[in-house]
Amino acid sequence: MKWTRMTGLIGTASLIAAGCFWAGCSGDDVKTDAGLDSGGGNDTGGGNDTGTKDSGPTDGGGGDSSDGGSTGVDGSVLDCNYYCSNIATVCSGTNNQYKDNATCLSMCNAIPNEAGAGATSGDSLACHMYHLSVASASTSNAATHCPHAGAYGYGMCGSICEDFCLQYFSSICKTDTVGGYANIDACHVACNSQAGADAAAGAPGNAATTPTMLCKEYHLENAIQNGGDGGGHCDHAGATGGGGVCP
């Protein structure tokens, strides 16, 4: 009877030992669990919290694709006072777009203010503000986008002729009967025959004799600044260029 019980206990111990041999027991079991916890799991991997999705720009930093959101100019503010105050700072020197603040305000009031903020094309204050916000991001951006932000748009915020003729007929020059244009359509025809060389121009706030439309833009701004009869500048901005001042 004692031998039989001892035999049974030995057999049971042998079975337990064999099970541990094949399955792993005691310390090995703890090591296996710890291995699973310390592996390259979701907690320590390159997850979304540290990835590029949460940090850094996604537009590549390019001028045209930038929304200007991180610059000092808020492109969503559609207000002429805000626009003129900032364009004087951002677009200075060779990028100057207006002779002074009063001229800017007068010309800004002629720009349609219909499109919603963020417009990147078309002659609207929203478009001019968008490009001003992009221009404010860097010096190189200013060289490219100040012409778009200015009154004449240069193909981004309206065409040169669309914007010039709108400004001309919104100013005192519309009453010029000497060297002016018969109507806005006549202005478009005359402008389109001269504007090709101005495609990459863009500092009408500075004196110029050529290209032709840049010269006329400059004198139109002088006329607006002078007020009254424009001080003779309406003729220079008109169809004849003032007898050769703007050929």
Side-chain angles (χ1 to χ4, degrees):
M1 188 69 177
K2 289 181 179 180
W3 175 252
T4 301
R5 181 177 296 176
M6 182 65 68
T7 301
L9 290 173
I10 292 172
T12 301
S14 297
L15 288 174
I16 292 173
C20 285
F21 176 82
W22 291 108
C25 295
S26 185
D28 287 343
D29 198 27
V30 173
K31 290 179 182 179
T32 302
D33 288 342
L36 290 173
D37 289 341
S38 61
N42 292 333
D43 288 341
T44 58
N48 288 336
D49 287 342
T50 58
T52 56
K53 182 176 180 180
D54 289 345
S55 61
T58 58
D59 58 28
D64 282 319
S65 61
S66 172
D67 64 4
S70 61
T71 70
V73 176
D74 184 349
S76 68
V77 180
L78 306 184
D79 175 78
C80 283
N81 285 299
Y82 183 81
Y83 166 78
C84 290
S85 174
N86 281 284
I87 199 168
T89 301
V90 174
C91 302
S92 59
T94 57
N95 295 319
N96 182 31
Q97 298 299 307
Y98 297 98
K99 295 185 68 61
D100 55 32
N101 189 67
T103 305
C104 176
L105 288 171
S106 179
M107 299 183 80
C108 177
N109 285 326
I111 298 173
N113 193 2
E114 299 172 356
T120 59
S121 62
D123 186 21
S124 68
L125 183 57
C127 179
H128 294 275
M129 281 301 306
Y130 165 80
H131 287 279
L132 178 57
S133 72
V134 178
S136 70
S138 68
T139 301
S140 60
N141 275 18
T144 299
H145 292 277
C146 282
H148 308 155
Y152 300 111
Y154 287 92
M156 291 302 296
C157 295
S159 69
I160 296 171
C161 292
E162 176 188 4
D163 291 8
F164 171 81
C165 292
L166 173 66
Q167 290 292 339
Y168 188 94
F169 279 90
S170 297
S171 73
I172 57 172
C173 291
K174 67 182 177 182
T175 61
D176 182 19
T177 58
V178 178
Y181 306 93
N183 51 51
I184 197 167
D185 290 334
C187 178
H188 287 153
V189 172
C191 177
N192 283 322
S193 69
Q194 300 173 328
D198 287 339
N206 296 311
T209 54
T210 57
T212 300
M213 289 311 301
L214 187 60
C215 178
K216 291 184 177 181
E217 291 166 355
Y218 169 78
H219 284 284
L220 176 57
E221 291 199 17
N222 272 272
I224 294 170
Q225 181 191 42
N226 276 269
D229 62 358
H233 291 286
C234 286
D235 288 350
H236 304 158
T240 65
V245 174
C246 291

